[in-house]
Amino acid sequence: MSTNLSTLLLRFSEPETLKMAKLGRELRAKGIDVIDLSLGEPDFDTPQHVKEAAIKAINDNWSHYTPVAGFPDLKEAVCTKLKRDNQLDYKPENIITSTGAKQSLANAILALVDEGDEVIIPTPYWVTYSELVKIARGHVVEIRSTVENNFKITPQQLEAAITSNTRVFMFSSPCNPSGAVYTKEELAALVKIFEKHPKITILSDEIYEYINFIGQHESIAQFSSIKERVAVIN
Ligand SMILES: Cc1ncc(COP(=O)(O)O)c(C=O)c1O
């Protein structure tokens, strides 16, 4: 069977998170008390009003093809949220809705990265980031963060990692898995480096905006000098 598969698919192995989740289930089945930190799922069910809205949408026949980038009123609502919560000015034509952050990140990587291009990712990171770069046949360049720096990278580290092949910088703040949150001042220091490198696009994964145990959420898209090349995933 595997002889029929593409060389690209054969480069992938079982995702670490799924492997850990399976191990957790196996240990639990043996009666071992396991705290499973593998899959990131909330410990509550979908709220009732969300369930009812989804049921109503089906009953109202909102089940045909949508515009590819999303319905105009949904995109307007996203703009309203980004203005209200993040003080970010976007127009509906700047918004693309999708079936999740993983899909959005995959679309962005495939749109930006050619074979051999470099993508800088601070460690520790959500395991899928490097797999997406592999799909695009790019190279991952890791920047190691340390506990001394609260798992955040410095502008010096960023500058040292950039080469003429760097195309994308991809990070999450708040970060999965470290929980690190960059302050406005820390982001501003990184922006100073990006200003010198106009070929780099920044993928800012902000899906954990509200899972923040440290302080104010700040988006790197607030800096006008680089906003044109920031894609916010939220
Ligand atoms: C940092 C990060 N980004 C994106 C995702 C994927 O989000 P979604 O379920 O919306 O595809 C995850 C899921 O664990 C994540 O941890």
Side-chain angles (χ1 to χ4, degrees), residues 87-105:
Q87 296 76 52
L88 295 175
D89 284 304
Y90 285 107
K91 295 195 177 74
E93 60 261 35
N94 304 129
I95 307 297
I96 300 178
T97 58
S98 76
T99 57
K102 188 185 261 185
Q103 190 209 339
S104 294
L105 287 162

Side-chain angles (χ1 to χ4, degrees), residues 16 72 79 148 171 180 217:
E16 294 297 329
C79 292
E148 290 77 30
F171 79 125
H217 173 71

Side-chain angles (χ1 to χ4, degrees), residues 19-218:
K19 216 190 277 181
M20 284 196 288
K22 197 167 119 202
L23 182 63
R25 274 193 295 269
E26 283 166 10
L27 292 174
R28 213 174 290 125
K30 286 183 191 159
I32 299 170
D33 186 18
V34 174
I35 296 173
D36 182 354
L37 300 177
S38 57
L39 301 176
E41 279 221 274
D43 60 358
F44 53 87
D45 291 325
T46 302
Q48 195 56 33
H49 68 282
V50 177
K51 290 182 189 170
E52 277 161 16
I55 292 164
K56 183 173 183 317
I58 291 169
N59 286 332
D60 290 349
N61 296 311
W62 288 96
S63 47
H64 298 276
Y65 281 126
T66 68
V68 171
F71 284 107
D73 49 353
L74 174 58
K75 296 203 286 181
E76 284 282 358
V78 173
C79 292
T80 302
K81 177 262 178 283
L82 290 170
K83 181 73 183 163
R84 182 195 63 210
D85 297 352
N86 313 100
Q87 296 76 52
L88 295 175
D89 284 304
Y90 285 107
K91 295 195 177 74
E93 60 261 35
N94 304 129
I95 307 297
I96 300 178
T97 58
S98 76
T99 57
K102 188 185 261 185
Q103 190 209 339
S104 294
L105 287 162
N107 292 351
I109 288 289
L110 288 170
L112 294 166
V113 176
D114 277 321
E115 186 166 359
D117 286 347
E118 291 172 8
V119 176
I120 298 178
I121 312 178
T123 70
Y125 56 82
W126 177 49
V127 287
T128 295
Y129 285 176
S130 50
E131 302 303 293
L132 295 178
V133 178
K134 266 202 233 170
I135 293 176
R137 298 173 199 259
H139 288 306
V140 173
V141 176
E142 294 183 345
I143 303 182
R144 218 172 145 253
S145 72
T146 60
V147 68
E148 290 77 30
N149 273 338
N150 291 318
F151 295 111
K152 291 183 265 190
I153 61 160
T154 64
Q156 292 78 15
Q157 284 180 299
L158 175 61
E159 186 139 51
I162 293 173
T163 74
S164 56
N165 293 325
T166 310
R167 290 289 168 271
V168 171
F169 175 81
M170 173 160 53
F171 79 125
S172 64
S173 176
C175 174
N176 174 21
S178 70
V181 178
Y182 284 80
T183 65
K184 186 172 178 179
E185 292 68 33
E186 287 161 345
L187 291 175
L190 299 181
V191 168
K192 287 255 167 306
I193 309 297
F194 290 127
E195 284 170 357
K196 293 193 254 174
H197 299 277
K199 280 192 176 164
I200 301 178
T201 298
I202 295 105
L203 297 186
S204 181
D205 183 345
E206 302 179 22
I207 65 166
Y208 294 116
E209 174 178 1
Y210 300 114
I211 306 184
N212 177 341
F213 302 101
I214 295 174
Q216 166 87 14
H217 173 71
E218 299 285 350

Side-chain angles (χ1 to χ4, degrees), residues 217-229:
H217 173 71
E218 299 285 350
S219 173
I220 198 164
Q222 71 186 280
F223 299 95
S224 56
S225 63
I226 60 157
K227 186 177 176 219
E228 280 287 306
R229 46 194 175 101

